[in-house]
Amino acid sequence: MINTEKQLMSLVNAAQVLTSTLDIDQVLEKLISEVLHVIKGADAGVLFMLNTETNRLIAKHAIGYDLAYLKKIHLASNEGMTGKVFSQKKAFRFHSSDDVTENMADLFPQYEENYTKAVGDFTYPKSAVCAPLLDKSNSCIGVLTIVNFSGDTQFENSDLTMLQAFANQSSIAIENAKLFTQNERSKRIYNALTRVSLTRGRLNEMIDTLASLLGQSVAIITDFYDLLVASSSTAKLATEILKEQESEHLHTVVQQCVRHQVHIPINHEMYVSYLFPIHIERGVIGILLIVMDHHLQMDPLDLFAVEQASALFALQLAEEEKELEISFKYDGYLLQQLLNLNFNAFYKRQEAQQATHYLCATLQLEGSKYGVAQTKKKQQQFSKLLYRLTRLFSLPVFISEHDSHYHFLFMNNLREPVEQFKESIQHFFKLLDQDSKKYHSLSFMVGLGRHFDTIENISSSYRDSKKCIDYLQTLEQAPFILSYDKLGPYTLFLNNDPQEMAEYVEMKLGPIIKYDKQHKTDLLYTIKVFFENNQNRKQTAETCFVHLNTIKYRLQTIFSLIEIDEQNGKTMFELNLAIYMLSYLQNAKLAITDKV
């Protein structure tokens, strides 16, 4: 009776101690201390708590062990003594060293090694008692274990009962402290980041502040997986690895707007990366990355606090996006002024003073198979892709956006040779095409005008680029990009009636086409190659892989059929024009007569 009363008094005192603070770390420390003080023969104690992210049990506090090694042990829900107690949600007494050894035999080898290091000079415990910590919904949130190393004392059932009573009282204290600490940590992180934000601090200052508060590496990634800012080289390397090797995880965060974690190797060491979506009303606009050693786990309290604080990063990212959008819109306004032949504002820009060449381009988004709302969302994504690529491009670009059209003015301020300047622009749109496909954005076609040396000649290049678009829209299988230099005489046909062109082709080439069909010959192909080889018979024969006399005979037949003189420049020009016109009609989406 006296012993029972003493234990009850000890339990009451322990309850008072446990509820005397709302600091979670102090609660855990006092819990182990009180248990070891009350239960006779207890040499050491450890509290394992459930990490809900990994569904593993992790050591949170211990006395009589080296906690650094215990923290490297992440137990499964039925692994070792602790795992068995957790899975069955009932207290157990392991009354001998054989009993302890048997119930720890299934430990993962690395965990067994870490446990051996954690106990130091001791061997496995001679006896142990373990009790589950159950929350209000009867879910197990952790396991409290005390052990005896000397063997002088054997734990009894009364010790098991006492430990379970401690565990029950501790569950309440831990939940209360967790709620309080969660609120305090959230307030501390949120307030610190708010102070930085209110003092007009940029993203890099906010990242450095969060990294200091957490003691970990932190980075911000865009929704296209580009690194914006990083607090350390580790965070930079983690971003590169995630983008190049683990992009599906980044895609999951952006598309599903969910927190995610992934283990990655950095310089031959394993790290765990926590990915938090940064989102606003229209969707995810970035990712907050936190990187730490894989032996560590991010505290659930910090997870909650960071999720709350991500709203501040969303505001900052949205503000910087808005600033960028305003900058592009102003450049677009300047481009419109230039196209209206108003050059005054442009002359004041640094680009105007440094550029040696210019080139206009027009981009047309292709008709969408999506609904209006989805199309608008995808066009917003396309604009973001375009602006992202423009920031990375080596040459200055002005972009003006009008519905499904984008007009460009590229400026050569690097004094590149003209051909290299053109190649850079071609490469720009090829990268945009790759990104558009990669991110499932809208497809498009691009027309490139001729380059020009003075800004006052912008209208001609702009008109050229639109003609290229007009031509591309007539083709069944159009390339996504066309330069005016490659358009040739096709530009003459764009505004003409296709039926009239078909009649002209019939008048000039009809007899040749009819003869080929009746005699299964290649006269039309021959005359086309003849013009392509500057009316050189020998080169034509080589291109057609036939004897020179065969070409002479074919040409004689052609000129006889259509009754023209080879020496008459005008008639030969009309014949060549008809061949170009036929090629245009054959490639076009427009319906033409059966005669052609």
Side-chain angles (χ1 to χ4, degrees):
M1 176 67 74
I2 296 175
N3 187 50
T4 302
E5 289 179 357
K6 182 179 178 181
Q7 287 182 325
L8 288 174
M9 287 303 297
S10 298
L11 185 59
V12 171
N13 291 335
Q16 292 176 344
V17 170
L18 288 175
T19 56
S20 65
T21 177
L22 287 173
D23 183 281
I24 187 68
D25 295 324
Q26 290 185 27
V27 168
L28 299 180
E29 181 181 356
K30 289 182 178 183
L31 167 61
I32 304 295
S33 298
E34 287 301 314
V35 169
L36 296 182
H37 175 71
V38 171
I39 298 182
K40 184 180 178 181
D43 295 324
V46 57
L47 175 65
F48 276 84
M49 296 293 292
L50 177 67
N51 183 305
T52 55
E53 291 291 313
T54 61
N55 203 32
R56 293 268 175 163
L57 293 159
I58 301 170
K60 284 297 183 181
H61 197 76
I63 295 178
Y65 292 95
D66 188 331
L67 188 59
Y69 287 109
L70 285 184
K71 281 184 175 292
K72 296 181 180 181
I73 300 173
H74 300 166
L75 295 173
S77 59
N78 59 352
E79 188 176 4
M81 295 187 301
T82 300
K84 292 177 177 63
V85 171
F86 177 86
S87 62
Q88 297 186 41
K89 295 195 288 189
K90 59 182 292 188
F92 277 87
R93 180 167 65 96
F94 303 93
H95 55 80
S96 68
S97 58
D98 290 340
D99 195 11
V100 171
T101 302
E102 180 183 349
N103 282 279
M104 294 183 67
D106 61 348
L107 279 182
F108 184 65
Q110 186 178 349
Y111 294 166
E112 185 178 5
E113 179 182 342
N114 286 322
Y115 184 83
T116 301
K117 292 178 180 178
V119 299
D121 295 332
F122 296 107
T123 58
Y124 266 21
K126 298 297 189 293
S127 60
V129 284
C130 306
L133 277 67
L134 305 176
D135 63 12
K136 295 177 182 178
S137 61
N138 201 40
S139 296
C140 192
I141 61 173
V143 175
L144 178 59
T145 299
I146 63 169
V147 299
N148 175 268
F149 288 115
S150 65
D152 296 336
T153 302
Q154 289 291 324
F155 293 122
E156 300 176 357
N157 286 333
S158 60
D159 297 320
L160 192 64
T161 302
M162 176 59 71
L163 186 65
Q164 185 62 73
F166 260 99
N168 293 341
Q169 186 63 45
S170 301
S171 296
I172 299 172
I174 288 172
E175 286 298 306
N176 290 338
K178 187 184 294 185
L179 289 172
F180 174 79
T181 307
Q182 185 179 67
N183 186 48
E184 287 300 303
R185 290 195 190 183
S186 297
K187 284 169 56 179
R188 180 165 57 91
I189 292 176
Y190 195 88
N191 290 341
L193 294 176
T194 300
R195 284 194 296 272
V196 176
S197 180
L198 290 176
T199 56
R200 305 301 296 169
R202 308 301 287 181
L203 275 176
N204 59 331
E205 296 175 66
M206 296 178 70
I207 283 297
D208 289 341
T209 299
L210 182 59
S212 177
L213 290 169
L214 297 176
Q216 305 296 341
S217 297
V218 182
I220 294 286
I221 309 170
T222 71
D223 49 338
F224 296 117
Y225 316 151
D226 297 323
L227 176 67
L228 282 179
V229 289
S231 68
S232 68
S233 58
T234 299
K236 291 179 182 178
L237 287 171
T239 301
E240 293 174 6
I241 293 169
L242 286 167
K243 183 176 181 179
E244 295 172 6
Q245 303 175 21
E246 306 286 350
S247 60
E248 68 274 12
H249 296 285
L250 299 174
H251 187 70
T252 297
V253 176
V254 171
Q255 294 300 313
Q256 300 181 20
C257 192
V258 294
R259 188 178 76 230
H260 197 57
Q261 72 181 76
V262 56
H263 287 79
I264 57 173
I266 302 177
N267 295 331
H268 309 295
E269 296 288 339
M270 287 302 297
Y271 288 80
V272 59
S273 298
Y274 289 86
L275 306 168
F276 297 82
I278 301 174
H279 60 93
I280 56 178
E281 185 177 352
R282 62 179 170 82
V284 175
I285 59 174
I287 299 173
L288 174 61
L289 169 67
I290 298 175
V291 187
M292 60 178 63
D293 188 284
H294 82 288
H295 290 306
L296 303 176
Q297 291 291 326
M298 196 166 179
D299 192 294
L301 302 175
D302 285 336
L303 284 172
F304 178 81
V306 171
E307 285 183 331
Q308 298 301 304
S310 65
L312 292 172
F313 288 104
L315 289 173
Q316 187 65 39
L317 269 180
E319 183 178 337
E320 294 192 9
E321 272 195 4
K322 190 66 177 178
E323 291 176 359
L324 183 64
E325 184 180 345
I326 291 172
S327 174
F328 275 107
K329 283 186 175 180
Y330 180 69
D331 289 346
Y333 165 77
L334 283 183
L335 177 53
Q336 284 302 118
Q337 292 293 303
L338 292 174
L339 294 175
N340 292 329
L341 304 181
N342 185 347
F343 306 104
N344 294 331
F346 181 74
Y347 287 143
K348 300 176 183 178
R349 294 288 292 258
Q350 186 177 6
E351 295 92 330
Q353 301 165 12
Q354 296 179 343
T356 57
H357 297 94
Y358 307 87
L359 187 144
C360 285
T362 297
L363 183 149
Q364 168 73 55
L365 292 175
E366 294 191 8
S368 175
K369 58 185 178 182
Y370 308 100
V372 176
Q374 184 71 356
T375 298
K376 183 177 180 181
K377 184 177 180 180
K378 282 190 170 291
Q379 186 168 349
Q380 288 174 342
Q381 182 195 42
F382 181 84
S383 295
K384 286 186 65 175
L385 274 174
L386 179 57
Y387 295 153
R388 163 186 176 264
L389 185 59
T390 302
R391 291 202 309 269
L392 302 174
F393 191 48
S394 58
L395 300 172
V397 190
F398 285 178
I399 305 172
S400 175
E401 180 178 347
H402 299 277
D403 297 326
S404 59
H405 287 82
Y406 296 81
H407 304 304
F408 298 77
L409 173 64
F410 291 91
M411 291 161 273
N412 183 6
N413 66 346
L414 299 180
R415 301 189 181 278
E416 292 181 346
V418 172
E419 288 307 312
Q420 187 175 341
F421 175 52
K422 292 179 180 179
E423 288 175 6
S424 296
I425 297 170
Q426 293 263 3
H427 184 63
F428 173 89
F429 286 111
K430 287 178 182 178
L431 290 177
L432 182 61
D433 182 54
Q434 291 173 10
D435 282 350
S436 183
K437 291 174 180 175
K438 178 179 179 181
Y439 296 105
H440 308 289
S441 189
L442 298 172
S443 56
F444 60 89
M445 55 182 63
V446 178
L448 302 180
R450 288 170 289 183
H451 77 279
F452 53 101
D453 299 333
T454 58
I455 195 63
E456 287 79 9
N457 294 327
I458 187 173
S459 297
S460 296
S461 184
Y462 171 63
R463 183 178 62 249
D464 295 344
S465 69
K466 292 203 299 181
K467 284 187 176 181
C468 290
I469 293 292
D470 291 340
Y471 176 65
L472 289 172
Q473 288 180 319
T474 69
L475 304 181
E476 288 286 355
Q477 294 181 331
F480 87 93
I481 187 169
L482 176 67
S483 173
Y484 187 83
D485 298 338
K486 306 296 183 182
L487 190 56
Y490 291 145
T491 183
L492 302 174
F493 310 144
L494 292 174
N495 297 319
N496 292 325
D497 181 2
Q499 186 60 42
E500 289 184 3
M501 288 190 286
E503 292 172 358
Y504 183 86
V505 170
E506 166 64 19
M507 180 176 64
K508 297 295 181 181
L509 300 176
I512 300 175
I513 296 172
K514 183 178 180 181
Y515 186 91
D516 276 344
K517 286 181 178 179
Q518 290 177 345
H519 299 86
K520 297 182 179 180
T521 53
D522 294 318
L523 297 184
L524 183 63
Y525 173 72
T526 301
I527 191 63
K528 179 181 177 183
V529 174
F530 182 60
F531 280 118
E532 289 174 352
N533 284 280
N534 298 315
Q535 302 180 46
N536 184 299
R537 285 175 165 77
K538 183 178 179 182
Q539 291 179 1
T540 302
E542 291 174 355
T543 303
C544 294
F545 300 103
V546 295
H547 194 273
L548 177 60
N549 289 337
T550 302
I551 293 300
K552 290 179 179 178
Y553 173 76
R554 288 182 182 178
L555 291 175
Q556 183 179 352
T557 303
I558 290 169
F559 297 141
S560 174
L561 284 170
I562 55 180
E563 300 178 349
I564 66 170
D565 181 4
E566 183 182 359
Q567 304 302 318
N568 189 318
K570 177 178 178 295
T571 56
M572 291 296 284
F573 169 78
E574 290 173 349
L575 180 60
N576 196 14
L577 184 64
I579 292 172
Y580 272 108
M581 200 174 289
L582 175 61
S583 176
Y584 173 81
L585 291 172
Q586 287 174 335
N587 291 326
K589 300 175 184 177
L590 305 169
I592 56 177
T593 65
D594 293 336
K595 296 178 181 179
V596 179

